[in-house]
């Protein structure tokens, strides 16, 4: 398997395991798939979630680690996901959720496993476009909590993707970044002649 899934911080995993074993946390999650899961549920495939905070017109960008996401598996597929966040006291469980990004993440990971080059999988969120991508980082030994997408890294937009960007189509960062830059950079208004 060419994907080198980074280990999640132990406190993040413990917080998800504690939430999964708490009937109150699962019930309050209001995720029908998790509530109706037949059999044991296990957190798998921890992925660091990085957020693309800003893109400048010149194409420079800043990212930050926002949390870790675990796919919650029951049987042979993911039924939900669990998100953790960094607090002043360390890693803590944030919430359970389900929806299209769970199945889309699972699909993109299976797709990435067939690529011959090894990658470290991460998630990259672009809040200004309501976009989530699977970020395939080329340096498998890198600290998953740090770094920025390299020009040769691959981004796979997850479904639902913004209009005009095909979901599950891999793009090199160098190719997709200009498209994102154009979409999130406000158009400058031309001043009218006096």
């Amino acid at each position: 398997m060419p994907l080198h899934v980074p280990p999640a911080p132990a406190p993040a995993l413990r917080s998800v395991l504690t939430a999964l074993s708490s009937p109150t946390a699962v019930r309050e999650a209001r995720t029908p798939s998790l509530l109706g899961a037949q059999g044991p549920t296990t957190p798998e495939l921890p992925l660091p979630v990085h957020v693309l905070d800003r893109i400048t017109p010149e194409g420079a960008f800043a990212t930050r680690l926002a949390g870790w996401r675990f796919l919650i598996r029951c049987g042979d597929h993911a039924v939900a996901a669990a998100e953790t966040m960094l607090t002043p006291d360390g890693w803590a469980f944030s919430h359970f959720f389900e929806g299209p990004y769970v199945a889309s993440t699972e699909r993109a990971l299976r797709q990435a496993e067939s690529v011959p080059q090894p990658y470290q999988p991460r998630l990259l969120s672009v809040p200004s476009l309501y976009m989530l991508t699977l970020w395939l980082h080329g340096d498998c030994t890198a600290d998953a909590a740090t770094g920025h997408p390299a020009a040769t890294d691959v981004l796979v937009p997850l479904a639902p993707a913004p209009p005009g960007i095909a979901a599950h189509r891999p793009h090199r960062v160098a190719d997709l970044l200009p498209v994102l830059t154009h979409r999130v950079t406000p158009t400058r208004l031309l001043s009218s002649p006096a």
Side-chain angles (χ1 to χ4, degrees):
M1 178 164 102
L3 293 182
H4 296 269
V5 179
L13 176 59
R14 275 194 306 273
S15 73
V16 170
L17 290 170
T18 299
L20 277 173
S21 66
S22 164
T24 304
V26 171
R27 200 170 33 255
E28 289 178 1
R30 292 184 177 81
T31 56
S33 297
L34 191 55
L35 287 168
Q38 300 294 318
T41 54
T42 55
E44 296 182 355
L45 295 168
L47 297 172
V49 180
H50 294 260
V51 175
L52 183 65
D53 282 327
R54 64 177 166 79
I55 302 176
T56 68
E58 297 78 33
F61 54 94
T63 61
R64 63 179 167 79
L65 179 68
W68 282 80
R69 180 172 296 173
F70 298 79
L71 293 181
I72 306 299
R73 185 167 301 284
C74 181
D76 63 348
H77 66 284
V79 296
E83 191 98 9
T84 63
M85 62 182 182
L86 190 57
T87 69
D89 295 326
W91 288 100
F93 171 75
S94 175
H95 61 281
F96 290 115
F97 66 94
E98 62 183 63
Y101 285 133
V102 174
S104 188
T105 300
E106 199 170 37
R107 176 181 169 189
L109 287 166
R110 277 195 312 271
Q111 184 181 355
E113 287 174 348
S114 66
V115 176
Q117 180 180 343
Y119 286 107
Q120 182 189 81
R122 303 171 175 197
L123 292 172
L124 181 65
S125 173
V126 186
S128 59
L129 294 177
Y130 301 101
M131 180 178 180
L132 185 65
T133 69
L134 177 65
W135 167 15
L136 300 173
H137 190 53
D139 183 357
C140 296
T141 61
D143 178 357
T146 63
H148 301 290
T152 56
D153 286 354
V154 175
L155 297 177
V156 182
L158 301 180
I165 297 177
H168 296 286
R169 182 171 170 230
H171 301 271
R172 295 248 177 238
V173 168
D175 299 332
L176 188 58
L177 190 60
V179 174
L180 300 180
T181 302
H182 176 70
R183 288 191 174 205
V184 298
T185 303
T187 306
R188 292 185 179 159
L189 297 175
L190 297 174
S191 59
S192 58

